[in-house]
Coordinates of all heavy atoms in Angstrom, one line a residue:
D1478 N 81.6 72.3 105.3 CA 80.9 71.3 104.5 C 81.9 70.3 104.0 O 81.6 69.2 103.8 CB 80.1 71.9 103.4 CG 78.7 72.2 103.8 OD1 78.3 71.8 104.9 OD2 78.0 72.9 103.0
A1479 N 83.1 70.8 103.5 CA 84.1 70.0 102.8 C 84.6 68.9 103.8 O 84.8 67.7 103.4 CB 85.2 70.8 102.3
A1480 N 84.8 69.3 105.0 CA 85.4 68.3 106.0 C 84.4 67.2 106.4 O 84.7 66.1 106.4 CB 85.8 69.0 107.3
L1481 N 83.1 67.6 106.4 CA 82.0 66.7 106.7 C 81.8 65.7 105.4 O 81.6 64.5 105.6 CB 80.7 67.4 107.0 CG 79.6 66.5 107.4 CD1 79.9 65.7 108.6 CD2 78.3 67.4 107.7
D1482 N 81.9 66.3 104.2 CA 81.8 65.5 103.0 C 82.9 64.5 102.9 O 82.8 63.3 102.6 CB 81.8 66.4 101.8 CG 80.5 67.2 101.6 OD1 79.5 66.9 102.3 OD2 80.5 68.2 100.9
L1483 N 84.1 64.9 103.3 CA 85.3 64.1 103.3 C 85.1 62.9 104.3 O 85.4 61.8 104.0 CB 86.6 64.8 103.6 CG 87.8 64.0 103.7 CD1 88.1 63.3 102.3 CD2 89.0 64.8 104.1
Y1484 N 84.7 63.3 105.5 CA 84.5 62.2 106.6 C 83.4 61.3 106.1 O 83.7 60.0 106.3 CB 84.0 62.9 107.9 CG 83.4 61.9 108.8 CD1 84.3 61.1 109.5 CD2 82.1 61.8 109.0 CE1 83.7 60.1 110.4 CE2 81.5 60.9 109.9 CZ 82.4 60.0 110.5 OH 81.9 59.1 111.4
N1485 N 82.3 61.7 105.5 CA 81.3 60.8 105.1 C 81.8 59.8 104.0 O 81.5 58.7 104.0 CB 80.0 61.6 104.6 CG 79.2 62.2 105.7 OD1 79.2 61.6 106.8 ND2 78.6 63.2 105.5
S1486 N 82.6 60.4 103.1 CA 83.2 59.6 102.0 C 84.1 58.5 102.6 O 84.0 57.3 102.2 CB 83.9 60.4 101.0 OG 83.1 61.3 100.3
V1487 N 84.9 58.9 103.5 CA 85.9 58.0 104.1 C 85.2 56.9 104.9 O 85.5 55.7 104.8 CB 86.9 58.7 105.0 CG1 87.7 57.8 105.8 CG2 87.8 59.6 104.1
A1488 N 84.2 57.3 105.8 CA 83.5 56.4 106.7 C 82.6 55.4 105.9 O 82.4 54.3 106.4 CB 82.7 57.2 107.6
T1489 N 82.1 55.8 104.7 CA 81.2 54.9 104.0 C 82.0 54.1 102.9 O 81.5 53.0 102.5 CB 80.1 55.7 103.3 OG1 80.6 56.6 102.4 CG2 79.1 56.3 104.3
T1490 N 83.2 54.5 102.6 CA 83.9 53.8 101.5 C 85.0 52.9 102.1 O 85.1 51.7 101.7 CB 84.5 54.8 100.5 OG1 83.5 55.6 100.0 CG2 85.2 54.0 99.4
L1491 N 85.7 53.4 103.0 CA 86.8 52.6 103.6 C 86.3 51.8 104.8 O 86.6 52.2 106.0 CB 88.0 53.5 104.0 CG 88.6 54.3 102.9 CD1 89.6 55.3 103.4 CD2 89.2 53.4 101.8
L1492 N 85.6 50.7 104.6 CA 85.1 49.9 105.6 C 86.0 48.9 106.1 O 86.9 48.4 105.4 CB 83.8 49.3 105.2 CG 82.7 50.3 104.7 CD1 81.5 49.5 104.1 CD2 82.2 51.1 105.9
P1493 N 85.9 48.4 107.4 CA 86.8 47.4 107.9 C 86.6 46.0 107.1 O 85.5 45.7 106.8 CB 86.5 47.3 109.3 CG 85.3 48.1 109.6 CD 85.0 48.9 108.4
T1494 N 87.7 45.4 106.9 CA 87.7 44.0 106.3 C 88.7 43.2 107.2 O 89.4 43.8 108.1 CB 88.3 44.0 104.9 OG1 89.6 44.5 104.9 CG2 87.4 45.0 104.0
P1495 N 88.8 41.9 107.0 CA 89.7 41.1 107.8 C 91.2 41.6 107.6 O 91.9 41.6 108.6 CB 89.6 39.7 107.2 CG 88.1 39.6 106.8 CD 87.9 41.1 106.2
D1496 N 91.6 42.0 106.5 CA 92.9 42.6 106.3 C 93.1 44.0 106.8 O 94.1 44.4 107.2 CB 93.3 42.6 104.8 CG 93.4 41.2 104.2 OD1 93.6 40.3 105.0 OD2 93.4 41.0 103.0
K1497 N 92.0 44.8 106.8 CA 92.0 46.2 107.3 C 91.0 46.3 108.5 O 90.2 47.2 108.4 CB 91.6 47.1 106.1 CG 92.5 46.9 104.9 CD 91.9 47.6 103.7 CE 92.7 47.3 102.4 NZ 92.1 47.9 101.3
F1498 N 91.3 45.6 109.5 CA 90.4 45.6 110.6 C 90.4 46.9 111.4 O 89.5 47.2 112.2 CB 90.7 44.5 111.6 CG 92.1 44.4 112.0 CD1 92.5 45.1 113.2 CD2 93.0 43.8 111.4 CE1 93.7 45.1 113.6 CE2 94.3 43.7 111.8 CZ 94.7 44.4 112.9
H1499 N 91.4 47.7 111.2 CA 91.6 49.0 111.9 C 90.9 50.1 111.2 O 91.0 51.3 111.6 CB 93.1 49.3 112.1 CG 93.8 49.4 110.8 ND1 94.2 48.3 110.1 CD2 94.2 50.4 110.1 CE1 94.8 48.7 109.0 NE2 94.9 50.0 109.0
Y1500 N 90.2 49.9 110.1 CA 89.5 50.9 109.3 C 88.2 51.2 110.0 O 87.1 50.9 109.5 CB 89.3 50.5 107.9 CG 90.4 50.6 107.0 CD1 91.7 50.8 107.4 CD2 90.3 50.8 105.6 CE1 92.8 50.9 106.5 CE2 91.3 50.8 104.7 CZ 92.6 51.0 105.2 OH 93.6 51.1 104.3
H1501 N 88.2 51.8 111.2 CA 87.1 52.3 111.9 C 87.2 53.8 112.0 O 88.1 54.3 112.7 CB 86.9 51.7 113.3 CG 86.6 50.3 113.3 ND1 85.3 49.9 113.1 CD2 87.3 49.1 113.4 CE1 85.2 48.6 113.1 NE2 86.5 48.1 113.3
F1502 N 86.4 54.5 111.3 CA 86.4 56.0 111.3 C 85.2 56.5 112.1 O 84.1 56.1 111.8 CB 86.5 56.6 109.9 CG 87.7 56.1 109.1 CD1 87.7 55.0 108.3 CD2 88.9 56.8 109.3 CE1 88.8 54.6 107.6 CE2 90.0 56.3 108.7 CZ 90.0 55.2 107.8
H1503 N 85.5 57.4 113.0 CA 84.4 57.9 113.9 C 84.3 59.5 113.8 O 85.2 60.1 113.1 CB 84.7 57.6 115.3 CG 85.0 56.1 115.5 ND1 83.9 55.2 115.6 CD2 86.0 55.3 115.7 CE1 84.4 54.0 115.7 NE2 85.7 54.1 115.8
M1504 N 83.4 60.0 114.4 CA 83.2 61.4 114.4 C 84.4 62.2 115.1 O 84.8 63.3 114.7 CB 81.9 61.9 115.1 CG 80.6 61.5 114.4 SD 80.5 62.4 112.8 CE 80.2 64.0 113.4
R1505 N 85.1 61.5 115.9 CA 86.3 62.1 116.5 C 87.3 62.4 115.5 O 88.2 63.3 115.7 CB 86.8 61.2 117.7 CG 87.6 60.1 117.3 CD 88.2 59.3 118.5 NE 88.2 57.9 118.1 CZ 87.8 57.0 118.8 NH1 87.4 57.2 120.0 NH2 87.9 55.7 118.4
N1506 N 87.4 61.6 114.4 CA 88.3 61.8 113.3 C 88.0 63.2 112.6 O 88.9 63.9 112.3 CB 88.3 60.7 112.3 CG 88.7 59.4 112.9 OD1 87.9 58.4 112.8 ND2 90.0 59.3 113.4
L1507 N 86.7 63.4 112.4 CA 86.3 64.7 111.9 C 86.7 65.9 112.9 O 87.2 66.9 112.4 CB 84.8 64.7 111.7 CG 84.2 66.0 111.3 CD1 84.7 66.5 109.9 CD2 82.7 65.9 111.2
F1508 N 86.5 65.6 114.1 CA 87.0 66.7 115.1 C 88.4 66.9 115.0 O 88.9 68.0 115.2 CB 86.5 66.2 116.5 CG 87.0 67.1 117.6 CD1 86.4 68.4 117.8 CD2 88.0 66.7 118.4 CE1 86.9 69.2 118.8 CE2 88.5 67.5 119.4 CZ 87.9 68.8 119.6
Q1509 N 89.2 65.8 115.0 CA 90.7 65.9 114.9 C 91.1 66.8 113.6 O 92.1 67.5 113.7 CB 91.4 64.6 114.9 CG 91.2 63.8 116.1 CD 91.7 62.4 116.0 OE1 91.7 61.8 114.9 NE2 92.1 61.7 117.2
H1510 N 90.4 66.5 112.6 CA 90.7 67.3 111.3 C 90.5 68.7 111.5 O 91.3 69.6 111.2 CB 89.8 66.7 110.2 CG 90.1 67.3 108.8 ND1 89.3 67.2 107.8 CD2 91.1 68.0 108.4 CE1 89.7 67.8 106.7 NE2 90.8 68.3 107.1
I1511 N 89.3 69.1 112.1 CA 89.0 70.5 112.3 C 89.9 71.1 113.4 O 90.3 72.2 113.3 CB 87.5 70.6 112.7 CG1 86.7 70.2 111.4 CG2 87.2 72.0 113.2 CD1 85.2 70.1 111.7
Q1512 N 90.2 70.3 114.4 CA 91.0 70.8 115.5 C 92.4 71.1 115.0 O 93.0 72.1 115.4 CB 91.1 69.7 116.6 CG 91.9 70.2 117.8 CD 91.9 69.1 118.9 OE1 91.9 67.9 118.6 NE2 92.0 69.5 120.1
G1513 N 92.9 70.4 114.1 CA 94.3 70.6 113.4 C 94.2 72.0 112.7 O 95.2 72.6 112.8
L1514 N 93.1 72.3 112.1 CA 93.0 73.6 111.4 C 93.0 74.7 112.4 O 93.6 75.8 112.2 CB 91.7 73.6 110.6 CG 91.7 72.8 109.4 CD1 90.3 72.7 108.7 CD2 92.8 73.1 108.4
L1515 N 92.3 74.5 113.5 CA 92.2 75.5 114.6 C 93.5 75.8 115.3 O 93.7 76.9 115.8 CB 91.1 75.1 115.6 CG 89.6 75.1 115.0 CD1 88.7 74.6 116.0 CD2 89.2 76.4 114.5
Y1516 N 94.3 74.8 115.3 CA 95.7 75.0 115.9 C 96.6 75.8 115.1 O 97.7 76.3 115.5 CB 96.3 73.7 116.2 CG 95.8 73.0 117.5 CD1 95.7 71.6 117.6 CD2 95.4 73.7 118.6 CE1 95.2 71.0 118.7 CE2 94.9 73.0 119.7 CZ 94.8 71.7 119.8 OH 94.4 71.1 120.9
T1517 N 96.2 76.0 113.9 CA 97.1 76.9 112.9 C 96.9 78.3 113.3 O 95.8 78.9 113.4 CB 96.7 76.7 111.5 OG1 96.6 75.3 111.2 CG2 97.5 77.4 110.5
S1518 N 98.0 79.0 113.6 CA 97.9 80.4 114.0 C 97.8 81.2 112.7 O 98.1 80.9 111.6 CB 99.2 80.8 114.7 OG 100.3 80.8 113.9
A1519 N 97.2 82.5 112.9 CA 97.0 83.3 111.8 C 98.3 83.7 111.1 O 98.3 84.0 109.9 CB 96.2 84.6 112.2
S1520 N 99.4 83.7 111.8 CA 100.7 84.2 111.2 C 101.2 83.1 110.3 O 102.0 83.3 109.4 CB 101.7 84.4 112.3 OG 101.9 83.3 113.1
Q1521 N 100.7 81.8 110.5 CA 101.2 80.7 109.6 C 100.4 80.8 108.2 O 100.9 80.1 107.3 CB 101.0 79.4 110.2 CG 101.9 79.2 111.4 CD 101.5 78.0 112.2 OE1 100.4 77.6 112.3 NE2 102.6 77.2 112.7
V1522 N 99.3 81.4 108.2 CA 98.5 81.4 107.0 C 98.7 82.8 106.4 O 98.0 83.8 106.8 CB 97.0 81.1 107.2 CG1 96.2 81.2 105.9 CG2 96.8 79.9 107.9
C1523 N 99.6 83.0 105.4 CA 99.9 84.2 104.8 C 99.0 84.5 103.6 O 98.9 85.7 103.2 CB 101.4 84.2 104.4 SG 102.5 84.0 105.7
S1524 N 98.4 83.5 103.0 CA 97.6 83.8 101.8 C 96.4 82.8 101.8 O 96.4 81.8 102.5 CB 98.4 83.7 100.5 OG 98.8 82.4 100.3
N1525 N 95.5 83.1 100.9 CA 94.3 82.3 100.8 C 94.6 80.9 100.2 O 93.9 80.0 100.3 CB 93.2 82.9 99.9 CG 92.6 84.1 100.7 OD1 92.6 84.2 101.9 ND2 92.0 85.1 99.9
T1526 N 95.7 80.9 99.5 CA 96.1 79.6 98.9 C 96.7 78.6 99.9 O 96.8 77.4 99.6 CB 97.1 79.8 97.7 OG1 98.3 80.4 98.2 CG2 96.5 80.7 96.7
Q1527 N 97.1 79.1 101.0 CA 97.7 78.2 102.0 C 96.7 77.4 102.8 O 96.9 76.3 103.3 CB 98.6 79.0 103.0 CG 100.0 79.4 102.3 CD 100.8 80.1 103.3 OE1 100.4 81.0 104.0 NE2 102.1 79.7 103.3
L1528 N 95.5 78.0 103.0 CA 94.5 77.3 103.8 C 94.1 76.0 103.2 O 94.0 75.0 103.9 CB 93.3 78.3 104.0 CG 92.3 77.8 105.1 CD1 92.9 77.5 106.4 CD2 91.1 78.8 105.2
P1529 N 93.8 75.9 101.9 CA 93.4 74.6 101.3 C 94.6 73.6 101.6 O 94.4 72.4 101.7 CB 93.2 74.8 99.9 CG 92.8 76.3 99.8 CD 93.6 76.9 100.9
T1530 N 95.8 74.0 101.5 CA 97.0 73.2 101.6 C 97.0 72.7 103.1 O 97.3 71.4 103.3 CB 98.3 73.9 101.3 OG1 98.2 74.4 100.0 CG2 99.5 73.1 101.5
I1531 N 96.8 73.5 104.0 CA 96.7 73.1 105.4 C 95.6 72.1 105.7 O 95.7 71.1 106.3 CB 96.7 74.3 106.4 CG1 98.0 75.1 106.2 CG2 96.5 73.9 107.8 CD1 97.9 76.5 106.9
W1532 N 94.4 72.4 105.1 CA 93.2 71.6 105.2 C 93.6 70.1 104.7 O 93.2 69.1 105.3 CB 92.1 72.2 104.4 CG 90.8 71.4 104.5 CD1 89.8 71.6 105.5 CD2 90.3 70.4 103.7 NE1 88.8 70.7 105.3 CE2 89.1 70.0 104.2 CE3 90.9 69.8 102.6 CZ2 88.3 69.0 103.6 CZ3 90.1 68.8 102.0 CH2 88.8 68.4 102.5
S1533 N 94.2 70.1 103.5 CA 94.6 68.8 102.9 C 95.6 68.0 103.7 O 95.5 66.9 103.9 CB 95.1 69.0 101.5 OG 95.4 67.8 100.9
H1534 N 96.6 68.8 104.3 CA 97.6 68.2 105.1 C 96.9 67.5 106.3 O 97.3 66.4 106.7 CB 98.6 69.2 105.5 CG 99.5 68.7 106.5 ND1 100.6 67.9 106.3 CD2 99.6 68.9 107.9 CE1 101.3 67.6 107.4 NE2 100.7 68.2 108.4
E1535 N 96.0 68.3 107.0 CA 95.4 67.7 108.2 C 94.6 66.5 107.8 O 94.5 65.6 108.6 CB 94.5 68.8 108.8 CG 95.3 69.9 109.5 CD 96.2 69.3 110.6 OE1 95.8 68.4 111.4 OE2 97.4 69.7 110.7
A1536 N 93.9 66.5 106.7 CA 93.1 65.3 106.3 C 94.0 64.1 106.1 O 93.7 63.0 106.4 CB 92.3 65.7 105.0
K1537 N 95.1 64.4 105.4 CA 96.1 63.2 105.2 C 96.7 62.7 106.6 O 96.9 61.6 106.7 CB 97.3 63.7 104.3 CG 96.9 64.0 102.9 CD 98.1 64.5 102.1 CE 97.6 65.2 100.8 NZ 98.7 65.9 100.1
R1538 N 96.9 63.6 107.5 CA 97.3 63.3 108.8 C 96.3 62.4 109.5 O 96.6 61.3 110.1 CB 97.7 64.5 109.6 CG 98.3 64.3 111.0 CD 98.5 65.5 111.8 NE 97.3 66.2 112.1 CZ 96.5 65.8 113.0 NH1 96.7 64.8 113.9 NH2 95.3 66.5 113.3
V1539 N 95.0 62.8 109.5 CA 94.0 62.2 110.3 C 93.6 60.8 109.6 O 93.5 59.8 110.3 CB 92.8 63.1 110.5 CG1 91.7 62.3 111.2 CG2 93.2 64.3 111.4
Y1540 N 93.3 60.9 108.3 CA 92.8 59.7 107.6 C 93.9 59.0 106.9 O 93.9 57.7 107.0 CB 91.8 60.2 106.6 CG 90.6 60.9 107.2 CD1 90.4 62.2 106.9 CD2 89.7 60.3 108.0 CE1 89.3 62.9 107.5 CE2 88.6 60.9 108.6 CZ 88.4 62.3 108.3 OH 87.4 63.0 108.9
G1541 N 94.8 59.6 106.3 CA 95.8 59.0 105.5 C 96.8 58.1 106.3 O 97.3 57.1 105.8
D1542 N 97.1 58.6 107.5 CA 98.0 57.8 108.3 C 97.5 56.4 108.8 O 98.3 55.6 109.1 CB 98.4 58.6 109.6 CG 99.4 59.8 109.3 OD1 99.8 59.8 108.1 OD2 99.6 60.6 110.2
R1543 N 96.2 56.2 108.7 CA 95.6 54.9 109.1 C 95.5 54.0 107.9 O 95.2 52.8 108.1 CB 94.3 55.2 109.6 CG 94.3 56.1 110.9 CD 93.0 56.4 111.5 NE 92.5 55.2 112.1 CZ 91.3 55.1 112.6 NH1 90.5 56.2 112.5 NH2 90.8 54.0 113.1
L1544 N 95.7 54.4 106.7 CA 95.5 53.5 105.5 C 96.7 52.7 105.4 O 97.9 53.0 105.5 CB 95.3 54.4 104.3 CG 94.1 55.4 104.4 CD1 94.0 56.2 103.1 CD2 92.8 54.7 104.7
S1545 N 96.4 51.4 104.9 CA 97.5 50.4 104.8 C 97.8 50.0 103.4 O 98.7 49.2 103.2 CB 97.1 49.2 105.7 OG 95.9 48.6 105.2
S1546 N 97.0 50.4 102.4 CA 97.3 50.1 101.0 C 97.5 51.3 100.1 O 96.9 52.3 100.4 CB 96.1 49.2 100.5 OG 95.0 49.9 100.2
D1547 N 98.2 51.1 99.1 CA 98.5 52.2 98.2 C 97.2 52.6 97.4 O 97.0 53.8 97.2 CB 99.6 51.7 97.2 CG 100.9 51.6 97.8 OD1 101.1 52.2 98.9 OD2 101.8 50.9 97.2
T1548 N 96.4 51.6 97.1 CA 95.1 52.0 96.4 C 94.2 52.8 97.3 O 93.6 53.8 96.8 CB 94.4 50.7 96.0 OG1 94.1 49.9 97.1 CG2 95.2 49.9 94.9
D1549 N 94.2 52.6 98.6 CA 93.4 53.4 99.5 C 93.9 54.8 99.6 O 93.2 55.8 99.7 CB 93.3 52.7 100.9 CG 92.4 51.5 100.8 OD1 91.6 51.3 99.9 OD2 92.5 50.7 101.8
E1550 N 95.3 54.8 99.6 CA 96.0 56.2 99.7 C 95.7 57.0 98.4 O 95.4 58.2 98.5 CB 97.4 56.0 99.9 CG 97.8 55.5 101.3 CD 99.3 55.2 101.5 OE1 100.1 55.7 100.7 OE2 99.6 54.6 102.5
E1551 N 95.7 56.3 97.3 CA 95.4 57.0 96.0 C 93.9 57.5 96.0 O 93.7 58.5 95.5 CB 95.7 56.1 94.8 CG 97.2 55.8 94.6 CD 97.4 54.8 93.6 OE1 96.5 54.4 92.8 OE2 98.6 54.3 93.5
W1552 N 93.0 56.6 96.5 CA 91.7 57.0 96.6 C 91.5 58.2 97.5 O 90.8 59.1 97.1 CB 90.9 55.8 97.1 CG 89.4 56.1 97.3 CD1 88.4 56.1 96.4 CD2 88.8 56.7 98.5 NE1 87.2 56.5 96.9 CE2 87.4 56.9 98.2 CE3 89.2 57.0 99.8 CZ2 86.6 57.4 99.2 CZ3 88.4 57.5 100.7 CH2 87.0 57.7 100.4
L1553 N 92.2 58.2 98.6 CA 92.0 59.4 99.5 C 92.5 60.7 98.8 O 91.9 61.7 98.9 CB 92.7 59.2 100.8 CG 92.8 60.3 101.7 CD1 91.4 60.6 102.3 CD2 93.7 60.0 102.9
L1554 N 93.6 60.6 98.1 CA 94.2 61.8 97.4 C 93.2 62.2 96.3 O 93.0 63.5 96.1 CB 95.5 61.4 96.8 CG 96.7 61.2 97.8 CD1 98.0 60.8 97.0 CD2 96.9 62.4 98.6
D1555 N 92.5 61.3 95.6 CA 91.5 61.7 94.6 C 90.3 62.4 95.2 O 89.8 63.4 94.8 CB 91.1 60.4 93.8 CG 92.1 59.9 92.9 OD1 93.0 60.7 92.6 OD2 92.0 58.7 92.5
V1556 N 89.9 61.8 96.4 CA 88.7 62.4 97.1 C 89.1 63.8 97.6 O 88.3 64.8 97.5 CB 88.3 61.5 98.2 CG1 87.2 62.2 99.1 CG2 87.7 60.3 97.6
L1557 N 90.3 63.9 98.1 CA 90.8 65.2 98.6 C 90.9 66.3 97.5 O 90.4 67.4 97.7 CB 92.2 65.1 99.2 CG 92.2 64.5 100.6 CD1 93.7 64.4 101.0 CD2 91.5 65.5 101.6
S1558 N 91.3 65.9 96.3 CA 91.4 66.8 95.2 C 90.0 67.2 94.8 O 89.7 68.4 94.4 CB 92.2 66.3 94.1 OG 91.6 65.2 93.5
D1559 N 89.0 66.3 94.8 CA 87.7 66.6 94.4 C 87.0 67.4 95.5 O 86.2 68.4 95.1 CB 86.8 65.3 94.2 CG 87.3 64.5 93.0 OD1 88.0 65.1 92.1 OD2 87.0 63.3 92.9
T1560 N 87.2 67.2 96.7 CA 86.5 67.8 97.8 C 87.1 69.3 98.0 O 86.3 70.2 98.3 CB 86.7 67.1 99.1 OG1 86.2 65.7 98.9 CG2 85.8 67.7 100.2
S1561 N 88.3 69.4 97.7 CA 88.9 70.8 98.0 C 88.7 71.8 96.8 O 89.1 72.9 97.0 CB 90.4 70.6 98.3 OG 91.1 70.1 97.2
R1562 N 88.0 71.4 95.8 CA 87.7 72.3 94.7 C 86.7 73.3 95.1 O 85.8 73.2 95.8 CB 87.3 71.6 93.5 CG 88.4 70.9 92.8 CD 87.9 70.2 91.6 NE 88.8 69.2 91.2 CZ 88.6 68.3 90.3 NH1 87.5 68.2 89.7 NH2 89.5 67.4 90.0

């Protein structure tokens, strides 16, 4: 649910503009986020506190790497902290 909520927030809030024409988020971005989690081996997750960290890292990798302004990056970090609670 959290990954889907994050995707919906990103896709509906970060819309393309003339300055940010590359802000097109698709379902494949959601798949990439989940796929990154699935590539994590069980030996890399030693405790329950590491899984949210990995989830957040993958979200930053998939969505955050495409952002071009500091305000959008701050918005993403706020949404990530709200969603991962």
